[in-house]
Amino acid sequence: MNYDYGQSPDRPTSILNLTILDAGTLTPEGKVSADTRIQVGVRSMEVNTTHPHVISTPTQRIPDVLFNAILERSQAVAYGKELELSFPEQFLSIHTFDSDTLFDNERYSGHEPVIYAVNSLLTQKFGAGSALERGQIRYRAAPASLIVGAVLYDNLDNLSDALQSKRDGIVSRSIQVDSDEGSLFKEYHRMCSILVLLEGAEHIPDSTSSYSEIRWISVAEYQQMSRSRSLIHIGDRFSEQSLDYCIHGMCLCSSFVVLDRENQQHG
C-alpha cells in the first residue's frame, strides 16, 4: 500500500502528542512550576516498531481531518527562540499556540476534537477508558505546540516477526536513506502537542503494552533530562535497564517547547 504522506515536508504524517501534567502539583494559582509533575514513559520493545527503549511523552498517529480540527482551536505563533536541545531529529518549524482556553472533558463531550483526541490516546496507550467513564480521571486540555520535521528509523531491519506488518507500513511512508550504519528510513511528521492538566494521576498505571515504564517526574527534572540527554539525576526512578534507554525524539521536544511556553507566559 502506498501513502501520499510522510515522504515530504509538504505532506507530513499527522501525530498527536500529549504533555500531561499532574494538576495536583500546580501552584495555588494553577500555574506550572519547576515542581509540577509531568508524565514520561519508556516505549515498549514488544509493540513499538520505531524507537523502542526511548524515553518519550505519549504520541498517537491520527487522521489529518482530526489534526486540522485541533489546529483550528488556537492561533499558532512562531516559537522565536533557538532550541536548546541537541536531538538527532530535524526540526523544520516550531510554533506555539497563543491561547489560554482550556477544554474541560466533563463539560465538553467527544464532539470537541481536542477532547476526542485526548480521550483516544489515554484509552489506547494507558487503558484509561474505565477511569474516564467513572470520572476518576478528569482533565482540562488545549493545543500548545506544533512542530514540523523529520525523524530517522534505524531499527527496522531487526524487528520480530510479529511487527513486520507494522514495519511495512512505516517503510511505505518513509524515504530510505543510505548510511554507513545500514538502512535508515526518514519520515516527515507534523506533531501537535496538547497540554493536559490531569486530575487522578493515581489512576494512570505504572506500565502498559505501549510503555514498559510510566513515571512522573518534575518539570525541572524533565528539562534537565532533555537538555543533557541523560537519566543520571533520575535513574533511580526507572529499572536497572534504564542504562539502555535513549533520550531524544520529536515528542520530547514538543513537550519541552510546551513547558517553555508556560514558563514564558506565567513565569
Side-chain angles (χ1 to χ4, degrees), residues 3 21 57 59 73 85 117 133 138 143 161 174 200 207 222 229:
Y3 292 84
L21 304 182
T57 48
T59 58
R73 293 302 181 261
L85 307 178
E133 285 291 305
R138 63 171 298 180
D161 292 341
S174 305
S207 66
Y222 180 90
R229 297 186 63 186

Side-chain angles (χ1 to χ4, degrees), residues 87-213:
F87 288 180
E89 288 74 22
Q90 178 186 13
F91 303 117
L92 302 177
S93 66
I94 302 177
H95 291 78
T96 59
F97 291 97
D98 189 16
S99 173
D100 289 325
T101 301
L102 290 165
F103 295 95
D104 189 315
N105 77 304
E106 292 197 343
R107 178 180 177 186
Y108 295 89
S109 69
H111 293 290
E112 164 54 47
V114 171
I115 299 301
Y116 180 90
V118 174
N119 282 352
S120 174
L121 195 153
L122 289 176
T123 299
Q124 179 174 339
K125 301 292 185 174
F126 300 115
S130 294
L132 284 166
E133 285 291 305
R134 294 171 179 166
Q136 295 169 320
I137 290 177
R138 63 171 298 180
Y139 62 84
R140 293 170 294 138
S145 75
L146 173 65
I147 295 181
V148 177
V151 298
L152 289 174
Y153 307 130
D154 60 2
N155 66 305
L156 298 186
D157 293 332
N158 302 309
L159 298 175
S160 67
D161 292 341
L163 293 177
Q164 287 305 310
S165 60
K166 288 187 177 181
R167 177 196 183 277
D168 294 343
I170 294 294
V171 169
S172 69
R173 294 188 294 270
S174 305
I175 303 170
Q176 187 164 355
V177 179
D178 293 328
S179 78
D180 296 336
E181 300 177 359
S183 297
L184 298 178
F185 294 88
K186 178 167 70 173
E187 182 180 12
Y188 288 95
H189 288 177
R190 60 171 182 168
M191 180 173 290
C192 177
S193 185
I194 294 179
L195 174 66
V196 179
L197 306 180
L198 184 141
E199 299 176 19
E202 66 274 13
H203 295 287
I204 299 292
D206 292 333
S207 66
T208 65
S209 297
S210 296
Y211 298 99
S212 57
E213 298 187 59

Side-chain angles (χ1 to χ4, degrees), residues 216-236:
W216 295 88
I217 62 176
S218 73
V219 164
E221 290 169 335
Y222 180 90
Q223 292 171 324
Q224 182 180 352
M225 176 192 73
S226 299
R227 290 188 180 107
S228 66
R229 297 186 63 186
S230 170
L231 285 176
I232 291 177
H233 61 296
I234 54 172
D236 59 347

Side-chain angles (χ1 to χ4, degrees), residues 45-95:
M45 290 192 66
E46 284 72 24
V47 301
N48 286 293
T49 315
T50 59
H51 300 152
H53 271 189
V54 172
I55 302 287
S56 73
T57 48
T59 58
Q60 185 178 50
R61 294 168 184 264
I62 62 174
D64 285 354
V65 63
L66 177 57
F67 194 97
N68 293 335
I70 293 170
L71 296 188
E72 292 174 359
R73 293 302 181 261
S74 297
Q75 181 65 41
V77 296
Y79 182 48
K81 291 181 62 178
E82 183 177 351
L83 191 63
E84 302 176 50
L85 307 178
S86 58
F87 288 180
E89 288 74 22
Q90 178 186 13
F91 303 117
L92 302 177
S93 66
I94 302 177
H95 291 78

